[in-house]
Amino acid sequence: SGRLHVGQHSFCSGNSRHLVSYNTKLTSSAEVIELDDLNELESIQCDVDGSRLRVSFHNHLKSLALWGQIKLGNVYVTGGINHGCPLQVDPSKGFLLRRVNGAFLDGRSVVMDTSLARYDEIYESASIFYSSEQTSECSRLSIEKEICVGANTGENCTGPDKTIPIMDNSHITVECSQCWGTLKMDVFFNLKIENFKLVSMQAGYKNASIVSMAELRTSAKRDWSVAIEKDLLFDGITETPILDFKVGPVPFVFWFDSSLHLSAMSSIMGLQGNEVRTGAKLTLDFMDNWVSWDPVWHWNHILPNATTKLSIEPIFKGNTTLEGSAEIQLKPSIKLHVNELFSYTMSFDPKVSLDFTAQWDGSDKLKFCEEGAHEFSLVAECELKLNVDWAHIKEDKRWGPINLLSHKENFNKSCQQVPVPPMAEEQVIALV
């Protein structure tokens, strides 16, 4: 209670335990009103730009009491998931941290002129540490699905949510039957404020791995080449992880958004009405990756360590002899937002180039041979949303983008027997 808030609490969400430790001191020059604690609250109406707020009650006496607190000035209003302004990523959940610049009473409502507030104006001093860690205990207790941060990911976090159409005309049909990317990690951030100024910040991922998969399904009436350059946009993440907690009356909320960019070229000879699927799945375990900032050393970052591992699985599925080449690049970009604190973006940019042949000998298998190269880069950037010294704003407000990891490697020709999917009788005759 009051201005000082010291303690810690933890909670399970999905398969992870989340820990928050804090030692904070609120400003003494202003009052902080927590809407979550108000009785008989009917509704909260927010504008888009943060300049107007209407708080309505079931009882006229309650609006009069709130007006009495606000009319003297120097007031902040806060609200959490249930009593905040709708988040764009999920309008059913909210967040509110605003300074009140003026207000008037309107029946059972108090209408406020407001501006968006920052943590370094509401806290005189603060030391806040947040971390998450996957545990079997939370897996047993939680009734929620696993938190999956990705683009076009399904419920099990290992496959696509939907097939994405690419091209369809009288000669060729191309669709991305498996275009998706996902990031699994533990998140942490550490924030320190003294005398209403940010003195240090650390944030990033631990025990992280990222997966990018692209599988193109192509059918054509004759030999055909195709080139694709496309941003794959979604209404959001299939499962939108939104985590929130409060330190005294002050809410914290963070969420993720994502995007996918597909670039591909393919030339296949021998389809003649048949179908083929080509692509690759890349998995990168890069463990720890985080950034830190302070006013003396400015930005520093911890690179992935020596345990970084990369695995590549080329994909081929077909039912006819053919030969061709493909170059596929699927770039997932995943952004972590910690409201009014910072945003942290990570982009994985893998590319696989393949030359392949498939020879059918009349049995139930094709001999599939491939050779080519793969390469990737891992890029990160961070943006502060707190006040920093104006003299260093260019170097302090944003870090990156920085290339954290890059790798390029050729792989020699290899062959394998691939089972042939069932075909219609006329297809078998045509192949013989």
Side-chain angles (χ1 to χ4, degrees):
S1 61
R3 296 177 58 213
L4 299 176
H5 297 273
V6 181
Q8 69 175 33
H9 62 268
S10 66
F11 58 94
C12 284
S13 181
N15 294 334
S16 296
R17 175 163 292 280
H18 304 262
L19 175 66
V20 183
S21 301
Y22 51 90
N23 185 338
T24 65
K25 184 179 181 181
L26 292 171
T27 175
S28 60
S29 62
E31 183 179 2
V32 179
I33 298 176
E34 187 177 6
L35 297 187
D36 292 338
D37 286 348
L38 299 183
N39 295 323
E40 299 193 47
L41 190 63
E42 181 181 7
S43 65
I44 298 173
Q45 295 177 311
C46 308
D47 63 349
V48 176
D49 63 0
S51 64
R52 181 62 65 95
L53 184 69
R54 174 182 285 269
V55 180
S56 301
F57 295 86
H58 295 288
N59 188 314
H60 175 75
L61 294 178
K62 296 296 182 181
S63 61
L64 187 62
L66 178 60
W67 161 242
Q69 288 179 278
I70 291 176
K71 66 181 181 180
L72 298 177
N74 292 326
V75 171
Y76 292 91
V77 289
T78 68
I81 288 291
N82 297 322
H83 298 102
C85 296
L87 292 169
Q88 184 176 358
V89 69
D90 185 350
S92 69
K93 298 179 180 179
F95 172 87
L96 181 64
L97 182 63
R98 294 193 186 183
R99 170 184 282 275
V100 180
N101 302 316
F104 62 89
L105 189 63
D106 183 19
R108 293 184 291 109
S109 301
V110 178
V111 181
M112 310 176 203
D113 294 322
T114 61
S115 56
L116 300 177
R118 295 184 303 271
Y119 291 99
D120 52 356
E121 63 181 281
I122 202 170
Y123 281 127
E124 180 179 329
S125 64
S127 178
I128 300 170
F129 178 77
Y130 163 83
S131 65
S132 66
E133 182 179 9
Q134 295 186 22
T135 66
S136 57
E137 174 191 11
C138 287
S139 298
R140 293 193 302 269
L141 294 176
S142 178
I143 61 174
E144 303 175 19
K145 300 174 183 177
E146 177 185 12
I147 292 179
C148 172
V149 182
N152 196 37
T153 48
E155 292 184 358
N156 60 3
C157 205
T158 57
D161 178 52
K162 58 185 177 182
T163 296
I164 302 170
I166 302 295
M167 178 180 294
D168 188 9
N169 57 40
S170 58
H171 302 289
I172 187 170
T173 298
V174 183
E175 60 185 15
C176 211
S177 51
Q178 296 220 40
C179 276
W180 56 278
T182 186
L183 175 66
K184 294 183 178 181
M185 74 289 174
D186 298 321
V187 178
F188 83 98
F189 66 83
N190 191 356
L191 175 73
K192 289 187 178 181
I193 295 172
E194 293 179 3
N195 296 320
F196 301 100
K197 290 184 179 181
L198 179 67
V199 296
S200 70
M201 189 277 293
Q202 294 176 328
Y205 304 137
K206 294 185 176 181
N207 303 315
S209 64
I210 193 166
V211 177
S212 177
M213 182 167 180
E215 179 187 274
L216 295 180
R217 182 165 59 199
T218 305
S219 60
K221 295 181 179 179
R222 57 185 179 86
D223 295 346
W224 198 266
S225 297
V226 62
I228 302 161
E229 190 81 25
K230 188 172 185 178
D231 286 318
L232 309 178
L233 302 177
F234 309 102
D235 295 331
I237 308 171
T238 306
E239 294 291 328
T240 304
I242 298 179
L243 295 172
D244 69 291
F245 59 87
K246 297 181 76 173
V247 176
V250 183
F252 290 78
V253 61
F254 57 95
W255 68 93
F256 300 84
D257 60 34
S258 61
S259 63
L260 275 177
H261 181 80
L262 173 67
S263 176
M265 293 185 292
S266 180
S267 177
I268 303 174
M269 294 177 287
L271 276 179
Q272 299 174 345
N274 291 287
E275 178 185 288
V276 65
R277 302 189 186 198
T278 57
K281 178 180 180 181
L282 288 86
T283 303
L284 179 67
D285 297 319
F286 57 92
M287 302 306 289
D288 300 348
N289 174 45
W290 49 278
V291 296
S292 65
W293 178 91
D294 66 67
V296 176
W297 299 103
H298 306 285
W299 289 102
N300 287 286
H301 64 281
I302 303 300
L303 289 171
N305 58 31
T307 60
T308 298
K309 296 179 181 179
L310 173 70
S311 65
I312 298 178
E313 302 173 33
I315 297 168
F316 174 82
K317 298 175 184 177
N319 56 10
T320 186
T321 57
L322 54 82
E323 62 178 300
S325 62
E327 181 179 283
I328 300 175
Q329 188 173 13
L330 185 68
K331 180 180 178 180
S333 181
I334 297 172
K335 191 171 187 177
L336 165 66
H337 301 266
V338 181
N339 203 77
E340 300 306 319
L341 283 175
F342 65 89
S343 61
Y344 186 73
T345 305
M346 180 166 291
S347 301
F348 183 43
D349 192 2
K351 181 169 70 174
V352 176
S353 303
L354 293 172
D355 292 316
F356 52 85
T357 60
Q359 297 178 342
W360 189 69
D361 59 7
S363 69
D364 61 348
K365 291 184 178 180
L366 283 168
K367 183 180 180 182
F368 175 62
C369 298
E370 62 180 353
E371 59 182 325
H374 68 264
E375 60 184 282
F376 77 88
S377 61
L378 184 68
V379 178
E381 59 183 301
C382 187
E383 181 180 3
L384 282 177
K385 298 184 180 180
L386 296 172
N387 273 335
V388 294
D389 183 3
W390 182 259
H392 299 284
I393 191 169
K394 287 187 177 180
E395 58 184 303
D396 286 346
K397 204 66 175 176
R398 179 183 294 272
W399 169 80
I402 298 293
N403 193 335
L404 302 178
L405 279 175
S406 59
H407 178 77
K408 186 174 183 178
E409 183 179 346
N410 296 323
F411 50 89
N412 297 324
K413 184 175 181 179
S414 62
C415 298
Q416 59 179 317
Q417 297 294 113
V418 179
V420 177
M423 294 182 294
E425 182 178 351
E426 57 270 20
Q427 289 180 296
V428 177
I429 295 174
L431 288 173
V432 174

